[in-house]
Amino acid sequence: MTIKRLVAAMLLASASNSVLAEESFTVQDIQVEGLQRVALGAALNNLPFNVGDTVTEYSLSRSIRTLYAAGHFDDIKVYRDGNTVIYRLRERPTINAIEFDGNKDIKEEQLNESLAGNRVEVGEPLDKTILKSIENGLTEFYHGVGKYQAEVEIEATYLPRNRVNLKIKFEEGDAASIRQINVVGNQLFSDEELLRDIESKQDLPWWRFLSSDRYQKQTLQGDIEKINSHYLDRGYLRFNIDSSQVSVSPDKESVYVTLNVTEGEKYTISGVKFVGDLIGQDEFIRQILPLKDGELYNGALVTYTEESIAKLLARFGYANSKVRTIPQINDDTNQVELTISVEPGKRVYVRRIAVSGNSNTRDEVLRRELRQMEGAWLSNDALELSKQRIQRLPYIESVEFDTTPVAGVDDLVDIGFNIKEQPSGSFNAGVSYGNYMGLSFQIGVQQENFFGTGNSAGISLNTNKYQKSISATYTDPYFTLDGVSLGGQVFYSDVDYSSASSNLEAYNQRRYGFGANIGYPINEYNRLNFGANYVVNKINSINEYDQLRHFRAVLLDAQNPDGGYNFTNYELSASWVRSTLNRGLFPTAGHYLGLSLKATTPNSDLNYFKTTFEGRNYIPLSNDHAWSFLSKLELGYGNGYGSKNGYDYTLPFTENFYAGGQNIRGFESRIIGPHAIFREAQFVPGLPDPNSGSAPFPSGPENDTYSVSPRSIGGNAMGVLTLELITPTPFLSDDYRNSVRTSLFVDAGNVWDTEFDLNRYASLIQAPRFQGEPALQDYSDAGLIRATAGVSLQWISPMGPLTFSLAKIIKKYEGDLQENFSFNIGTTF
């Protein structure tokens, strides 16, 4: 082919092309050479002209720019052969693989996301011109976190079929430490006071290994804001940080920070006025206004005022309000007049609320917890309360919501709630063996979200060497639309300690019954519950210890002393619950208060009452709630009321409180508190009888002896305090924070018997008959506090909550048995 003319077209400021004639011509044919991956049609679609069009030099230049803009080519040349236009192209290589080597501070997910934003990803054509900017950008990132020795290099390996592998090699190096922070120009506050609360630390000694003096640009910017706030919050309205310099040492291992400041004078508030629309809340806003005439200017209070007014407006649907404070400064009098401008904007309404992410829970179960309604104005308070109520459900792990403006309308939004569910029940089944309980078998199912309805249902079966029990429960938390709950339960148990070893109090109890309960919501945080139970108890073969004398006197049939204790009770209960917890399981903020009272009716065979209190308070210690502090208090007291046959009713031993195991970790279960006292009469020889010999006669009760059981029988009063520091779980990412919890704890408490009289045994002699028998103590003394400390790991597993505890006893008394490691399946908090 003979090429008559060669035209040079402008190619991104410089490209060597043949010179084209200035005159126009009609294109008869377009030829494209060098295509491998890009289809011919795709290349031709990027040209600004077709066959038959008249083109000029400008048209050809424009076609080159258009082809480059498509992003598929590294080199483009255009030629003219008569009326034929010829393009000779060199395609960009396709990225075959991307590899990272040596990166520790930046995760691969972050790197891939950043590269994709620059169209550097597998399958895309490679633009070599941006590789240098990527290297520089990554290097700048490392400089920003104090790694001035860091180097980033992108290595390209070309493969057959015009492919390329990219390997990004990192040499991060060590972060530079802050050797010194200097504040220049401060006279009112010392360097120590200004730098006390900032995150950047300087030249730390070796023993402060838990702190870091690593330099980070972003952290320093936040610290500069803290210093600025330190002055503004104390009235120094003209304070200014004139400049900040960061000097890097020659070895790039240390930095020196210098802040030049101008402190200025203190300013007081001469007046506060409002402009704009306060939507009729003028008086209320003025009452809550923290800014007062004559007081020092306080930047934190100004910000708080703006945020409070904006939140108030948001409660009434003005979600896009603008609140700003305009200071009018008088430097002659050192006073400032504040004008608060309020622009509420349009009231915003909710068009639609969507719920997503719930694969097991029905939509209506979640929607009934919403306090933001469709068609109503948008309220941030209602949205946050809705989120909190859903998140309190025990089968919900997390809840997030987003607000999306409706296109073309400035006063409508759509709300989306994204739900993440977690295991909503527990299943346990197993066989175990222990010295205390022997061979044990258990099976149980507890479902807090029965078939996605939000109802709670459970059935359990337990059997071991000494007891068999079965129970079933069911509760509908929304029996009515306004949140009235209704539930019921049936139960049966058979406990046989009559053949127990000497370490147990021997008796046989058969217990069965049924009951119902109903609950009423008072408001968003408070609830009342009422219940009634019918309970039948049959106790036989009891090993009569001394604390049962009142129980024996009011129940035992004198005509049939071997008939056991048979009694039927009608129980009524009432409870009050207040909860502001942010989650149902593993809360990190808020409090829970629960007070309950159970009492038998006067027509029951036993008249007694039992009251319990539980209080939990969670205080977040970090903004992300990874660290939190829990304080928990459990109190209990029960006793009888009234009398029979001259004997006062007491709390039945089957209703006693116990400690050890789950509530005071580190002690064996049911080991803390009063022990059974077995009192035995002594005998003296009788008179001689020639026919039958002599029969012994019991001596007086003052000569009795007693022995003490090794295990506790519980008491009618209990107090347990728990202090717990909730920490991030080591070696686990934040993704598991809502299903795994680690904590350091201190447990302390006691169980005691308010009716116990130590003087009753003061003149008697203890005659031990049990192995490991402890000495008698004053079981009415509430001050016999036990204490432990340890670490706990809780996991919401597919089978239910699992708790592992490792504890060490701090304070114990004779007879207490320790259990350093424990494992429990059950409710967690």
Side-chain angles (χ1 to χ4, degrees):
M1 180 188 300
T2 302
I3 301 177
K4 297 181 178 179
R5 295 194 179 188
L6 185 63
V7 180
M10 297 179 63
L11 178 58
L12 296 179
S14 65
S16 61
N17 294 315
S18 300
V19 178
L20 294 177
E22 293 292 335
E23 72 273 6
S24 62
F25 65 96
T26 301
V27 178
Q28 292 182 352
D29 189 19
I30 301 175
Q31 297 180 8
V32 181
E33 300 174 359
L35 294 179
Q36 299 182 43
R37 181 180 55 85
V38 180
L40 176 61
L44 294 176
N45 285 337
N46 289 310
L47 295 179
F49 56 83
N50 298 309
V51 173
D53 291 345
T54 300
V55 299
T56 63
E57 178 182 345
Y58 172 76
S59 301
L60 295 177
S61 300
R62 181 183 170 196
S63 70
I64 294 175
R65 290 195 298 269
T66 304
L67 286 172
Y68 268 116
H72 299 297
F73 308 106
D74 268 342
D75 187 51
I76 302 172
K77 293 180 181 180
V78 59
Y79 300 89
R80 174 184 173 188
D81 183 7
N83 291 335
T84 299
V85 178
I86 303 171
Y87 288 92
R88 291 179 180 172
L89 311 175
R90 186 171 75 243
E91 289 185 359
R92 289 176 176 173
T94 302
I95 300 174
N96 180 67
I98 302 175
E99 182 185 353
F100 305 106
D101 181 32
N103 56 304
K104 296 179 181 178
D105 276 7
I106 313 178
K107 297 181 179 179
E108 290 193 7
E109 294 81 2
Q110 295 174 298
L111 288 169
N112 281 320
E113 183 178 348
S114 177
L115 292 176
N118 290 284
R119 298 189 63 182
V120 178
E121 52 187 330
V122 174
E124 290 292 327
L126 173 63
D127 182 2
K128 293 183 293 184
T129 62
I130 67 171
L131 295 184
K132 192 62 179 179
S133 64
I134 292 174
E135 290 178 347
N136 293 335
L138 291 172
T139 304
E140 283 297 319
F141 167 80
Y142 282 108
H143 289 179
V145 297
K147 293 194 172 185
Y148 289 100
Q149 297 175 337
E151 294 181 1
V152 180
E153 179 186 359
I154 302 179
E155 183 181 277
T157 304
Y158 291 90
L159 305 173
R161 300 193 306 276
N162 201 28
R163 295 174 301 144
V164 63
N165 285 346
L166 296 180
K167 184 176 184 180
I168 306 179
K169 297 190 294 185
F170 298 83
E171 292 185 11
E172 294 183 337
D174 296 326
S177 60
I178 301 177
R179 182 59 55 85
Q180 193 173 26
I181 302 177
N182 297 312
V183 183
V184 179
N186 56 310
Q187 297 178 351
L188 300 169
F189 303 101
S190 65
D191 287 9
E192 291 76 13
E193 187 173 357
L194 294 176
L195 304 179
R196 181 186 304 144
D197 298 325
I198 67 173
E199 293 186 35
S200 300
K201 303 300 180 183
Q202 58 178 330
D203 202 20
L204 293 174
W206 65 268
W207 60 83
R208 295 187 60 181
F209 58 89
L210 292 178
S211 301
S212 174
D213 55 5
R214 171 177 174 173
Y215 167 74
Q216 295 194 48
K217 181 178 180 180
Q218 190 173 11
T219 302
L220 180 61
Q221 292 298 323
D223 292 337
I224 290 175
E225 288 299 321
K226 286 184 179 180
I227 295 174
N228 187 68
S229 298
H230 182 88
Y231 278 90
L232 292 180
D233 295 348
R234 290 160 177 78
Y236 295 94
L237 188 56
R238 291 295 193 186
F239 172 78
N240 186 53
I241 297 180
D242 302 319
S243 63
S244 60
Q245 296 93 31
V246 178
S247 302
V248 184
S249 64
D251 58 7
K252 297 183 180 181
E253 294 182 356
S254 304
V255 298
Y256 298 83
V257 179
T258 302
L259 304 177
N260 296 286
V261 305
T262 300
E263 293 179 317
E265 301 288 338
K266 283 186 178 181
Y267 285 77
T268 57
I269 300 174
S270 61
V272 181
K273 64 180 180 180
F274 292 90
V275 295
D277 184 6
L278 299 183
I279 65 169
Q281 300 295 319
D282 310 49
E283 189 61 30
F284 178 74
I285 291 176
R286 293 184 186 279
Q287 289 179 357
I288 65 172
L289 186 69
L291 301 171
K292 306 297 182 184
D293 294 358
E295 294 185 355
L296 282 176
Y297 176 86
N298 188 314
L301 283 182
V302 171
T303 302
Y304 172 78
T305 300
E306 294 173 346
E307 293 175 349
S308 299
I309 295 175
K311 287 182 179 179
L312 177 65
L313 297 175
R315 289 176 56 188
F316 294 92
Y318 298 95
N320 301 319
S321 63
K322 296 179 181 179
V323 182
R324 58 193 181 96
T325 302
I326 306 168
Q328 295 178 333
I329 303 174
N330 188 330
D331 292 320
D332 295 331
T333 61
N334 286 350
Q335 291 181 321
V336 56
E337 183 180 29
L338 302 178
T339 301
I340 302 176
S341 172
V342 180
E343 299 178 16
K346 280 189 175 182
R347 176 174 278 175
V348 179
Y349 292 84
V350 176
R351 184 184 69 167
R352 185 179 296 113
I353 298 177
V355 179
S356 62
N358 51 315
S359 58
N360 299 319
T361 309
R362 299 177 184 176
D363 269 16
E364 58 266 25
V365 174
L366 301 171
R367 287 184 176 274
R368 67 193 183 190
E369 303 295 336
L370 296 179
R371 292 303 177 261
Q372 173 66 67
M373 300 301 166
E374 293 177 336
W377 65 59
L378 176 66
S379 170
N380 287 342
D381 286 353
L383 284 175
E384 289 294 339
L385 182 58
S386 301
K387 173 183 175 180
Q388 192 178 73
R389 288 184 62 88
I390 295 176
Q391 205 160 248
R392 283 188 203 145
L393 299 175
Y395 39 87
I396 301 300
E397 180 176 331
S398 63
V399 182
E400 297 296 337
F401 65 84
D402 56 73
T403 304
T404 306
V406 177
V409 185
D410 59 357
D411 61 350
L412 286 179
V413 296
D414 290 335
I415 306 296
F417 281 88
N418 186 29
I419 310 297
K420 185 177 181 181
E421 296 174 310
Q422 64 184 6
S424 58
S426 61
F427 172 80
N428 60 81
V431 178
S432 62
Y433 180 83
N435 292 331
Y436 176 50
M437 288 296 183
L439 184 65
S440 299
F441 171 76
Q442 62 180 4
I443 184 171
V445 178
Q446 180 67 38
Q447 177 59 255
E448 299 295 339
N449 188 17
F450 191 62
F451 290 119
T453 62
N455 298 342
S456 173
I459 184 170
S460 65
L461 171 66
N462 290 277
T463 178
N464 57 48
K465 183 177 180 180
Y466 301 114
Q467 65 179 0
K468 301 177 180 64
S469 66
I470 186 172
S471 65
T473 62
Y474 190 85
T475 301
D476 183 354
Y478 275 84
F479 182 69
T480 65
L481 293 177
D482 53 0
V484 175
S485 64
L486 184 65
Q489 64 276 342
V490 294
F491 52 88
Y492 172 85
S493 68
D494 189 350
V495 179
D496 186 5
Y497 289 151
S498 59
S499 59
S501 68
S502 60
N503 283 344
L504 296 171
E505 301 74 53
Y507 68 91
N508 173 274
Q509 179 188 21
R510 182 171 299 173
R511 184 175 183 267
Y512 59 88
F514 59 88
N517 57 80
I518 189 170
Y520 296 91
I522 300 175
N523 52 37
E524 299 294 349
Y525 304 106
N526 295 274
R527 188 177 188 88
L528 292 177
N529 299 288
F530 303 95
N533 289 318
Y534 171 78
V535 184
V536 176
N537 286 272
K538 296 182 179 181
I539 301 178
N540 298 292
S541 305
I542 189 169
N543 192 353
E544 303 282 0
Y545 52 90
D546 197 52
Q547 291 100 317
L548 289 179
R549 61 188 183 278
H550 281 258
F551 183 74
R552 181 170 55 246
V554 298
L555 280 181
L556 195 62
D557 184 359
Q559 304 300 322
N560 184 20
D562 297 325
Y565 304 94
N566 301 321
F567 54 97
T568 300
N569 289 333
Y570 305 92
E571 299 174 350
L572 298 178
S573 63
S575 65
W576 163 71
V577 173
R578 173 178 173 82
S579 176
T580 64
L581 299 178
N582 62 337
R583 287 175 44 80
L585 289 176
F586 289 169
T588 56
H591 65 262
Y592 172 90
L593 301 174
L595 178 64
S596 66
L597 172 66
K598 180 178 74 172
T600 59
T601 59
N603 62 327
S604 300
D605 291 335
L606 287 177
N607 296 336
Y608 66 90
F609 67 90
K610 186 177 180 180
T611 182
T612 59
F613 170 81
E614 179 184 352
R616 285 182 277 140
N617 188 39
Y618 294 84
I619 302 174
L621 302 179
S622 60
N623 292 332
D624 61 356
H625 290 210
W627 295 79
S628 186
F629 181 76
L630 162 65
S631 56
K632 179 183 178 184
L633 177 65
E634 291 182 274
L635 301 174
Y637 176 73
N639 215 328
Y641 69 90
S643 62
K644 181 181 179 181
N645 301 328
Y647 290 93
D648 293 335
Y649 283 107
T650 59
L651 185 71
F653 72 95
T654 56
E655 296 287 339
N656 277 351
F657 297 101
Y658 296 90
Q662 293 190 40
N663 55 359
I664 303 183
R665 291 157 286 191
F667 288 93
E668 279 196 12
S669 178
R670 298 175 59 160
I671 196 65
I672 296 174
H675 292 234
I677 301 174
F678 297 94
R679 187 164 176 168
E680 296 184 2
Q682 301 300 306
F683 294 86
V684 296
L687 297 175
D689 187 326
N691 296 319
S692 59
S694 61
F697 289 92
S699 64
E702 68 278 1
N703 295 319
D704 289 354
T705 62
Y706 67 87
S707 58
V708 180
S709 69
R711 302 198 73 87
S712 170
I713 58 171
N716 72 329
M718 176 193 69
V720 176
L721 174 67
T722 294
L723 302 178
E724 202 154 346
L725 177 64
I726 300 167
T727 69
T729 303
F731 313 115
L732 284 183
S733 68
D734 289 343
D735 297 338
Y736 298 95
R737 182 186 302 172
N738 294 329
S739 58
V740 180
R741 166 168 286 183
T742 304
S743 60
L744 305 174
F745 65 83
V746 174
D747 293 337
N750 187 27
V751 171
W752 65 98
D753 183 358
T754 61
E755 301 297 318
F756 182 79
D757 183 9
L758 183 62
N759 294 328
R760 178 177 171 82
Y761 312 98
S763 61
L764 306 183
I765 298 174
Q766 181 174 358
R769 64 185 180 94
F770 298 111
Q771 182 179 1
E773 178 175 328
L776 180 64
Q777 294 178 337
D778 185 1
Y779 299 132
S780 67
D781 185 0
L784 300 178
I785 302 296
R786 280 78 165 176
T788 64
V791 60
S792 175
L793 176 68
Q794 301 174 70
W795 173 36
I796 307 299
S797 73
M799 294 189 304
L802 305 180
T803 303
F804 306 86
S805 299
L806 184 63
K808 179 177 177 58
I809 294 178
I810 300 174
K811 178 67 176 178
K812 69 174 184 176
Y813 290 88
E814 183 184 359
D816 294 343
L817 300 178
Q818 68 182 20
E819 185 180 63
N820 298 107
F821 177 77
S822 63
F823 163 70
N824 296 298
I825 301 178
T827 302
T828 186
F829 53 84

